Amino acid sequence: MTEKMSAEMAERYKDGFIDHLSQTIGGRKEMVVTGAKGCRLDTTEGSYLDMISGIAVSNVGHSHPEVIAAVAAQMEQYAHVNVYGRFVLPPQVEIAERLTRVAPGDLDVAFLTSTGTEANEGALKLARKYTGRPGYVAFEGSFHGRTYGSLSVSWRERYRAPFQPLLEKVTFVPFDDIDAAAAAIDDTVGGVIIEPVQGEAGVRIPSDDFLPALREICSERGALLIADEVQGAMGRSGHWYSCQEWDVTPDIITVAKALGGGLPLGAFISTSEIFSTFLDPPLSHLTTFGGNPVACAAAIAAFDIIERDGLVERAREMGDYLGAGLARLMETHEMLTGARGLGLWWAFDVAPDDLAMPVVKAMERRGVIVGSMLNADGTVRVAPPLIVTTEELDETLRVLDEALTEVEAG
Ligand SMILES: Cc1ncc(COP(=O)(O)O)c(C=O)c1O
């Protein structure tokens, strides 16, 4: 239920936000969130269609009643107990069984974290420890997170430069360029980290032979292939994991975001053989809150909803519908220069680049939330909950049409 909030209270929170929360982007916020349900987000300024799902988190929609019930039941039972391996926590086992059941190949073990960047940190450490090699290959356009290891393999110079020195032995190669990747993967490289579909670069989809060829090169040269599926997993791409679009089995898959059904949960998934390297020395990788039982309970509920309600397949159907609508708008709006997507993971390009934010704002004024991307300036993301209806997509397309007309008119 959406709470009502007085204008006075809303102003108090807007002031408090500026006064007491660390800012990473300038400017006062205009909206205070009062509730979220399904595909809708309610604020003090009005109700919106949420077409970004908290950035690819709310795949089952906001505040799903079954997720709420699972969280409440787990809180009643226990929220947190000792870590470091002395107890079995059934919710951890349940979610790990599910994640590995739908994973490709022989990936049968999951290490649970709280966030995506932690999952990638773990994967980078695992690759180094298992291969004994210090080097990494990453891709231009990539985004893997903000902690030191993940930042080291994230491409945009603007975000890396202030924090140098980072991990030293990282080579960035152009995305979808197999010759460049082959040239960079030598016997000093232990991990090749890639988003099979690059999210923050604007939902960039490689050509069909790229990922299978990369898999082959990694196997030949003894480097582990790490697929960062933090944004693309849990049905977003029309698969449980986006690498399944190309039938590729990485050595390590990382997930987070939608996994926790709205609560913080991540994982890196690999084989028991690769993970066995973490046994020596014992306790060589740990976290207090990774795999928190309440987050796991939410994740189990979200996973079961996705599976039971066929949301992976639905993402493909609704994605086709959205893509067809975007293609129609491209015929009538010159400034809409491109649109790409896989499943319900879409982005469109506007030209010139600096008109992307005005389009986002014009849509917001009409009640639809879409968003910008970290590594693609003229590109706008559309990644609704997987429960979105054709009526909600029609509304989004109608609003985009109007927003483009407004921005075109200057
Ligand atoms: C592909 C990818 N990897 C990793 C991350 C980092 O995840 P988190 O913000 O949970 O640390 C993100 C976040 O946007 C992401 O899109």
Side-chain angles (χ1 to χ4, degrees), residues 112 127 138 196 287 290 302 314 329 400:
L112 301 172
T287 154
R314 185 182 170 83
L329 289 180
L400 174 59

Side-chain angles (χ1 to χ4, degrees), residues 16-51:
F17 182 88
I18 287 288
D19 292 345
H20 301 299
L21 280 164
S22 158
Q23 306 295 314
T24 59
I25 191 167
R28 199 165 191 270
K29 306 277 180 199
E30 289 309 317
M31 297 188 275
V32 180
V33 174
T34 53
K37 184 106 196 130
C39 294
R40 295 211 76 85
L41 180 60
D42 296 335
T43 81
T44 45
E45 312 308 304
S47 177
Y48 297 84
L49 256 185
D50 178 6
M51 287 292 125

Side-chain angles (χ1 to χ4, degrees), residues 147-149 151-152 160-170:
T147 51
Y148 267 90
L151 184 61
S152 300
R160 276 186 298 124
F163 302 102
Q164 296 285 359
L166 297 169
L167 285 178
E168 276 173 27
K169 298 185 186 307
V170 177

